[in-house]
Amino acid sequence: MFGNTITTIDQSATSAAGISVSATPATAPAEAGACRPPLALSRAARELDLKRGEFDLAVQLGCVRTIPDEGGGGRRVSRAEIDRVRSEGGYPEALRDLVKAVGTREGAALMEVTTARFTRLARLGLVVPVKFYLNRYRAVVWLYLAEELRQFAADKDNARLLSGRTPEGLRDQLDEGLDLRPRNWRGRHMGFLLRQTQDPWERAAVVASLLAPVQVAEVVRDPYERAHLNRCRPERASHGAPDSPAAHTASRIMTAQDADEISWLRADLGQLLAEARDFRPAPRPAPRASQPKVPRPGPAVGPPVVGPPDRPATEAPERPRRLLGWLRRKNP
């Protein structure tokens, strides 16, 4: 299965027709592959014959592994990983089947249920969305993995949920307005993001990205630590112009709403923050070097004026105030 199997090349046949293979030629292809620069995500999607949305899901599901860019330009895909994915059996159709996402109507058809029943199953959290978008009417459209829906429908334990009346306990929850789709998507999305992190501060930033700023400020009291978490925060997908109704709707989906979910995320953030502090303190501005105090200059004192021999030495005469004297003469 994609993302779980690693293919190896059998190099046992090293001598054909009496030809010996030395170590240098055998390692040359590996060295050549290592020298090939990694690909940007958009280029990697084209190399694997996937649409960008399919490729993003393949990365999130672990079917395609990415590496951090040494230059700080986000994630990239190595040439060796492209070759590995291409060598998997059934490529590319098997890979496309794994990352195929469907909406409510197509998902209901796959499970052979009505769209109303499918929506009820999703609201109860029995099927979990993998992504969402807002249509032109600013309505939320949830997408689900087709492979997961097939597995749910094939499970005999779920047969009573696919036909007949919904069990009474579940029906009562739906009547009370239960809708676990946003919460389940947040949990799944957090798992996707955590799998791509390598730094404790990045892991703490992933959890903080699902909390409102006021909740983060109550857990992370240090302003320098909050600023560092903001720098490590994963980039959110844009849904409309900033401050638009669509952007507000998407932000509400991406932010924890339920009290128990908020409490759980706050506890996780506190634990991850402690681990990040032990790993490396948050950067802070360098303390200012104390400068020696320079004494303020006092009034200039000149040498005493030496008069004629028959007169004692006196201090320097005061400088005449010409403008003031002129005014006095003009106004007797």
Side-chain angles (χ1 to χ4, degrees), residues 263-329:
S263 177
W264 170 59
L265 290 174
R266 285 170 60 112
D268 277 0
L269 177 58
Q271 180 180 353
L272 291 172
L273 187 62
E275 296 175 2
R277 287 168 179 159
D278 294 339
F279 176 74
R280 182 184 63 249
R284 300 173 183 274
R288 295 182 179 179
S290 58
Q291 299 179 354
K293 294 184 178 180
V294 180
R296 305 178 85 181
V301 179
V305 177
V306 181
D310 57 341
R311 296 179 62 184
T314 61
E315 295 182 356
E318 185 180 359
R319 188 175 182 179
R321 300 180 179 179
R322 297 179 180 178
L323 179 59
L324 183 59
W326 182 76
L327 291 174
R328 285 175 177 172
R329 288 197 301 271

Side-chain angles (χ1 to χ4, degrees), residues 132 134-135 138 238-241 243-253:
F132 75 93
L134 274 67
N135 62 16
R138 295 197 296 271
S238 59
H239 295 270
D243 295 329
S244 65
H248 284 299
T249 300
S251 178
R252 191 163 56 250
I253 293 174

Side-chain angles (χ1 to χ4, degrees), residues 74-89:
R75 311 286 299 184
R76 289 183 174 267
V77 181
S78 66
R79 295 276 187 173
E81 180 66 7
I82 297 293
D83 296 340
R84 183 193 69 80
V85 175
R86 284 176 168 175
S87 66
E88 293 285 353

Side-chain angles (χ1 to χ4, degrees), residues 183-230:
R183 178 169 178 169
N184 284 342
W185 175 85
R186 286 191 294 268
R188 187 169 204 165
H189 185 63
M190 184 176 67
F192 290 158
L193 295 175
L194 288 175
R195 281 197 292 271
Q196 297 183 14
T197 59
Q198 298 177 338
D199 184 280
W201 284 102
E202 292 178 356
R203 288 195 286 272
V206 167
V207 177
S209 68
L210 300 179
L211 288 168
V214 64
Q215 300 289 343
V216 176
E218 291 179 357
V219 177
V220 189
R221 300 300 182 96
D222 191 321
Y224 296 110
E225 291 180 343
R226 289 201 303 273
H228 190 51
L229 286 176
N230 286 332

